[in-house]
Amino acid sequence: MPTAVQLPTGKALTVRTAADVFLDSLGNPNTVRSYATGVGKTAQRLGEGRPLASVADDKIGEALELFWGAAAVNTWNARRASVLSWLSWCRERGHEAPAVPVWARRMAVPDSETPARSRMAIDRLIARREVHLREKTLYRMLFETAGRADEILGVNIEDLDFAGRRCQVKAKGTKAKSRRRGQAREDFALETVYWDAGTARLLPRLLKGRNRGPVFVTHRRAGPGKIVSPRDVCPDTGFARLSYGQARALLDEHTAVRGPGTGWDLHEYRHSSLTHLGEQGASLLMLMAKSRHKKPENVRRYFKPSPEAIAELTSLLAPGDSRR
């Protein structure tokens, strides 16, 4: 186990110190070697002696573009993932740190589509001892609800209907409804997602008696000076809501086998859920109801039956006595 190193507090944390302590915290030598390139070169570009809290998000994106903007897609994704993990790690420990800007997004591999993972692969990932209970619950909830990751991460405990195994989420692309003067601006259209026994078993263990605030939170308080909405902080622990970027980096850490940036994507749980429901015979209308899509063509791209399912379907066309 690597020796724990205490990070300086507040704005005393320099870019180089943050990078060194992060890399020292990694236990796997292969991960250290892989992450060292992205984190090391980015830190050097930012200015190793400057406070990490003073770095703007766009400077992170500019460094990534400078070094790997013209690189292969897998290289870009790997370097971006290493920097994302570094900065998320710092924020989880209560330090002010920039984020990878939205415009420096992860790139899709050419000629590839979001895969549907097998139920066995999903179950094995959730059963692994090194996967924290928070991630186990998130992965199971994403799969059972077929919800979008940002929707599920945005759920608060007050939104949960434990008896009905459901909750309401703010749907993608919704806007504030027409409102009369004086009405609250938080009057959004909501949609309901449903989960099953797997999520129902894990949620109470995750919440540990908490009854308000975000369902999924970081393991540290928000850094000093960081502006966070009251809805995004647990009023009992002070822990901030787990962000999409942090959740994505954790999933990549658990599933990457060819270096950072090559692991699963959070969106794959939605694809996998709808594909398995389709293979079990769910109609297009039921898949639309589950996914909350309004157009059939949008659901079809999520349904990616396995070769085994296609083979079994094809067997129905064989002569009547061929399967006797």
Side-chain angles (χ1 to χ4, degrees):
M1 293 292 292
T3 303
V5 181
Q6 191 68 32
L7 285 170
T9 58
K11 296 183 180 296
L13 179 64
T14 65
V15 170
R16 172 46 59 190
T17 300
D20 287 345
V21 177
F22 167 69
L23 293 173
D24 288 343
S25 73
L26 302 175
N28 190 318
N30 293 327
T31 304
V32 174
R33 283 193 293 271
S34 180
Y35 275 49
T37 301
V39 174
K41 296 190 73 171
T42 301
Q44 187 177 19
R45 176 67 183 177
L46 296 175
E48 297 178 330
R50 69 183 297 186
L52 182 65
S54 70
V55 178
D57 293 358
D58 283 346
K59 292 299 181 183
I60 299 294
E62 290 170 6
L64 291 170
E65 283 285 350
L66 175 66
F67 292 120
W68 303 289
V73 170
N74 284 336
T75 301
W76 163 268
N77 287 341
R79 302 297 177 246
R80 178 188 176 278
S82 66
V83 173
L84 178 67
S85 295
W86 168 41
L87 299 176
S88 298
W89 184 87
C90 291
R91 284 194 298 275
E92 279 219 341
R93 279 146 187 80
H95 294 277
E96 294 183 66
V100 175
V102 174
W103 55 264
R105 59 173 57 88
R106 184 176 185 271
M107 298 176 63
V109 179
D111 300 323
S112 72
E113 296 180 339
T114 302
R117 303 293 175 177
S118 70
R119 295 196 63 161
M120 181 180 294
I122 292 172
D123 290 344
R124 284 179 174 174
L125 173 61
I126 294 174
R128 281 164 50 181
R129 291 186 176 181
E130 68 271 22
V131 177
H132 191 274
L133 176 61
R134 177 186 59 188
E135 284 81 74
K136 291 177 186 287
T137 309
L138 175 61
Y139 303 158
R140 182 63 69 188
M141 195 169 183
L142 287 172
F143 181 64
E144 291 186 355
T145 63
R148 301 175 181 90
D150 53 350
E151 294 174 342
I152 302 303
L153 288 168
V155 171
N156 274 24
I157 300 172
E158 303 93 310
D159 305 325
L160 302 175
D161 177 357
F162 291 96
R165 294 182 176 179
R166 69 189 71 178
C167 68
Q168 290 191 315
V169 297
K170 181 182 172 184
K172 178 181 178 181
T174 57
K175 298 179 181 179
K177 292 179 179 178
S178 300
R179 62 192 179 95
R180 297 178 183 274
R181 182 172 299 178
Q183 281 185 324
R185 191 171 291 274
E186 293 79 20
D187 183 18
F188 292 100
L190 299 174
E191 294 179 348
T192 303
V193 296
Y194 300 80
W195 62 82
D196 202 66
T199 303
R201 284 193 296 267
L202 292 170
L203 270 175
R205 294 173 53 197
L206 174 68
L207 300 179
K208 294 180 180 178
R210 289 195 299 126
N211 56 20
R212 54 183 181 165
V215 173
F216 300 100
V217 294
T218 62
H219 296 155
R220 296 289 190 278
R221 291 175 177 268
K226 185 175 181 180
I227 301 175
V228 182
S229 167
R231 176 177 165 79
D232 294 328
V233 178
C234 174
D236 299 322
T237 65
F239 295 165
R241 187 184 304 278
L242 186 70
S243 70
Y244 184 98
Q246 291 169 323
R248 170 69 182 84
L250 288 166
L251 179 59
D252 185 69
E253 180 182 328
H254 294 317
T255 57
V257 293
R258 297 186 303 277
T262 63
W264 297 10
D265 194 273
L266 292 168
H267 204 51
E268 293 176 24
Y269 287 103
R270 182 168 165 86
H271 282 254
S272 302
S273 176
L274 296 175
T275 291
H276 293 307
L277 289 173
E279 289 181 345
Q280 293 298 313
S283 68
L284 179 60
L285 288 176
M286 289 302 293
L287 290 177
M288 290 177 65
K290 179 67 174 174
S291 67
R292 295 166 287 120
H293 280 111
K294 303 301 185 290
K295 298 179 180 179
E297 58 267 27
N298 290 338
V299 179
R300 291 193 185 99
R301 66 188 179 92
Y302 282 83
F303 178 44
K304 299 174 182 177
S306 65
E308 293 77 14
I310 296 295
E312 183 176 350
L313 176 67
T314 305
S315 70
L316 300 176
L317 302 175
D321 60 351
S322 64
R323 295 197 293 174
R324 293 178 183 172

